[in-house]
């Protein structure tokens, strides 16, 4: 988590800090370039566990193109209203 590369600890720290300033019932949409990896890390290692029910993860359209197909995205990743191709919105 602290080696060169994705550096997810920054996103985790910022998200935890954000939730410390929000009411307990507040929900957020978290758009992050590597949101697919961040969500997977949170679920696998228990990061942000108390906040996960209040977070809808999304990724940028540029990252989605890197997956070559929406089917390659993590099935639980919430991308409602985000265009993943120039002609297709989900």
């Amino acid at each position: 988590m602290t080696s060169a590369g994705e550096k997810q600890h920054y996103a985790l720290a910022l998200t935890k800090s954000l939730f410390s300033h929000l009411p307990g019932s507040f929900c957020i949409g978290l758009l992050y370039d590597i949101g697919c990896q961040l969500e997977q890390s949170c679920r696998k290692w228990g990061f942000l566990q108390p906040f996960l029910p209040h977070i809808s993860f999304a990724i940028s359209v540029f990252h989605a193109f890197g997956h070559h197909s929406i089917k390659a995205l993590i099935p639980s990743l919430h991308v409602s209203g985000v265009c993943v191709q120039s002609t297709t919105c989900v």
Side-chain angles (χ1 to χ4, degrees):
M1 295 298 290
T2 58
S3 63
E6 297 175 349
K7 299 199 185 289
Q8 294 177 5
H9 62 278
Y10 293 124
L12 294 169
L14 287 170
T15 304
K16 185 176 179 182
S17 179
L18 173 66
F19 273 102
S20 72
H21 298 285
L22 297 174
S25 61
F26 206 82
C27 293
I28 66 164
L30 186 61
L31 178 65
Y32 187 52
D33 185 49
I34 54 169
C36 52
Q37 292 298 318
L38 183 64
E39 181 182 16
Q40 196 171 42
S41 294
C42 287
R43 296 197 186 285
K44 182 177 181 178
W45 301 106
F47 301 138
L48 305 175
Q49 192 64 36
F51 311 117
L52 286 181
H54 304 278
I55 301 173
S56 293
F57 290 88
I59 59 171
S60 70
V61 67
F62 299 110
H63 186 85
F65 280 126
H67 283 283
H68 302 292
S69 169
I70 191 65
K71 294 176 184 174
L73 295 175
I74 298 170
S76 64
L77 190 63
H78 180 72
V79 292
S80 177
V82 177
C83 291
V84 293
Q85 293 182 0
S86 60
T87 59
T88 307
C89 291
V90 291

